[in-house]
Amino acid sequence: DVTMLAPIARLLGITVDTLLSFRETLTDEELQEKMQHLWTLLNGGSYAEAFSWSKNTAAEYPNCHKLLLWMAQALEAYFVVMPDHASAEADAFMEDCYERAVSCEEESIRIGAADAMFHRAVRMKDYDRAETYLQYFSLENPERKRKQALLYGKKGQVEDACRAYEE
């Protein structure tokens, strides 16, 4: 029954779009084509068109975590260079893409999203939030230790930062 879609999606913690997605992923070639198109739009100076295209594409492929991650990273890179184009709507879209990608079963995508969210939180000086993304890195991963040391340094905990860097 169609009326049950919204309650089911709510119960699963996903959107109805995600629930209705029949095509979960794209081939590597299709991914490359989509990202090339996004970069063409961004490089052409048509931010509004690029953002609209990204939102529509994310809605079309809500379970293609690699695409979500790559689109969010491309848009974020654009905003870092062109901060006057940043908006709350774009920020929320990127957050959503990263959050969906960080829940991916594929480790490389999950870690890529966690890394992006970590650096995003550091740029916003939200060090406590940045620290929550360290959980996605194994305890033995040198990147986790380097990121922890960076956070210690940002918080003014110099001795802890030095110890973490030494490790």
Side-chain angles (χ1 to χ4, degrees):
D1 184 357
V2 173
T3 61
M4 295 301 295
L5 290 176
I8 291 170
R10 221 178 1 263
L11 178 68
L12 296 172
I14 60 175
T15 66
V16 173
D17 289 339
T18 303
L19 185 63
L20 293 175
S21 175
F22 296 110
R23 187 161 182 207
E24 292 190 17
T25 191
L26 297 164
T27 66
D28 286 341
E29 185 177 289
E30 290 170 322
L31 278 166
Q32 293 295 333
E33 288 172 10
K34 295 217 177 284
M35 290 309 299
Q36 184 60 46
H37 182 70
L38 177 57
W39 280 114
T40 299
L41 292 172
L42 288 171
N43 288 329
S46 179
Y47 160 73
E49 188 178 348
F51 182 61
S52 177
W53 178 87
S54 296
K55 284 179 27 181
N56 291 336
T57 303
E60 187 177 349
Y61 301 98
N63 297 321
C64 186
H65 296 114
K66 187 182 283 187
L67 176 66
L68 295 173
L69 174 61
W70 286 2
M71 284 192 311
Q73 288 173 324
L75 290 170
E76 187 147 28
Y78 183 80
F79 291 139
V80 167
V81 175
M82 306 288 285
D84 53 317
H85 287 94
S87 69
E89 181 184 16
D91 193 57
F93 173 74
M94 290 182 296
E95 283 280 329
D96 181 58
C97 287
Y98 285 138
E99 288 296 335
R100 287 161 56 190
V102 86
S103 70
C104 183
E105 291 179 15
E106 188 175 324
E107 184 180 17
S108 64
I109 295 171
R110 189 173 58 249
I111 297 233
D115 186 60
M117 292 295 281
F118 172 85
H119 288 290
R120 184 178 173 80
V122 168
R123 266 195 318 281
M124 294 177 183
K125 297 181 178 14
D126 189 349
Y127 305 128
D128 292 333
R129 184 168 183 228
E131 196 157 5
T132 66
Y133 291 102
L134 294 178
Q135 70 176 317
Y136 293 96
F137 298 86
S138 75
L139 293 173
E140 294 79 30
N141 187 333
E143 276 301 297
R144 179 182 177 139
K145 292 178 183 184
R146 190 186 63 74
K147 287 175 181 2
Q148 184 66 67
L150 174 71
L151 289 177
Y152 285 144
K154 296 282 186 184
K155 292 178 178 181
Q157 299 169 311
V158 178
E159 288 181 27
D160 292 331
C162 291
R163 190 175 330 100
Y165 277 126
E166 286 174 4
E167 290 176 2

